[in-house]
Amino acid sequence: MGKMAIYPGSFDPITNGHLSIVRRALTMFDSITIAVASNPMKKTLFTLDERMDLIQKSIKNDERIYIDSFNGLLVDYVDSKKTNIVLRGMRALSDFEYEFQMSLMNRKLNKNIQTIFMMTDYKWLYTSSTIIKEAASLGGAIRGLVPDVVCQKLKEKFGFQ
Ligand code: PNS
């Protein structure tokens, strides 16, 4: 089966920054499971089904990429998938504290879990699902920051189409 990494997140919605991390991680791992948090701490714009559907449409049938959802503790989900690797992307220093806290908490909850961080490509340094949603909600041009299918869906959601 090879080494699989779990790439967890809210993915509300998936961005080109997320996809870049997945593609780059596939040079290190045999497969990646994109694990969508079904009940993230934040309120989401898209439903779980919509978030998963947008990911599916964005990854264009790569048999090394799986899409799944999870509920409850991430470490329990990772364990259930018979791996111990959590993959997270990191942008600027501002991400560090939260990521550091989360990875230490996850290791406290399960000492076998290892979190691997990948620095984002500079092209995506300033983007996040949150800031893209804000720009889209006000009619800003977000093409190139998200897959076309996501761009379309955001426009529909905010009534710009
Ligand atoms: O994309 P996000 O919102 O930064 O992803 C955060 C996520 C979903 C990975 C994180 O909130 C999470 O792991 N939630 C599951 C609940 C959990 O295990 N919490 C304790 C770990 S600190």
Side-chain angles (χ1 to χ4, degrees):
M1 185 181 154
K3 204 69 183 164
M4 176 175 71
I6 304 288
Y7 184 36
S10 313
F11 301 105
D12 185 43
I14 192 154
T15 66
N16 285 346
H18 291 129
L19 290 171
S20 160
I21 295 285
V22 171
R23 265 184 239 111
R24 289 169 53 213
L26 279 170
T27 65
M28 295 184 292
F29 300 102
D30 298 305
S31 64
I32 305 287
T33 294
I34 302 176
V36 187
S38 65
N39 287 316
M41 301 295 276
K42 344 172 193 174
K43 169 141 182 43
T44 58
L45 175 66
F46 294 104
T47 64
L48 176 64
D49 283 348
E50 286 174 319
R51 287 180 281 144
M52 293 182 73
D53 184 54
L54 288 174
I55 297 171
Q56 184 67 63
K57 288 177 173 144
S58 302
I59 62 172
K60 304 187 181 94
N61 284 340
D62 185 324
E63 74 280 4
R64 298 168 304 161
I65 306 174
Y66 300 89
I67 304 163
D68 199 3
S69 63
F70 73 102
N71 240 319
L73 282 179
L74 174 65
V75 292
D76 293 342
Y77 171 76
V78 173
D79 221 26
S80 77
K81 291 285 149 187
K82 307 269 173 283
T83 182
N84 66 335
I85 300 176
V86 172
L87 171 69
R88 292 284 290 174
M90 182 109 67
R91 284 161 306 195
L93 198 59
S94 51
D95 281 344
F96 181 80
E97 208 166 334
Y98 170 60
E99 295 297 334
F100 190 50
Q101 190 178 28
M102 203 158 62
S103 73
L104 288 180
M105 177 57 101
N106 283 336
R107 198 154 71 232
K108 160 80 180 136
L109 296 170
N110 181 332
K111 66 176 172 15
N112 294 321
I113 301 294
Q114 304 295 347
T115 308
I116 302 289
F117 294 102
M118 290 188 74
M119 298 313 296
T120 187
D121 194 298
Y122 71 92
K123 280 184 275 185
W124 318 116
L125 201 55
Y126 65 97
T127 66
S128 67
S129 297
T130 305
I131 205 160
I132 289 170
K133 278 183 287 191
E134 183 177 337
S137 75
L138 299 168
I142 49 156
R143 254 184 96 203
L145 302 180
V146 288
D148 288 347
V149 61
V150 173
C151 193
Q152 185 61 35
K153 193 85 183 176
L154 279 167
K155 281 185 187 160
E156 281 168 27
K157 206 62 156 186
F158 291 119
F160 287 101
Q161 192 87 327

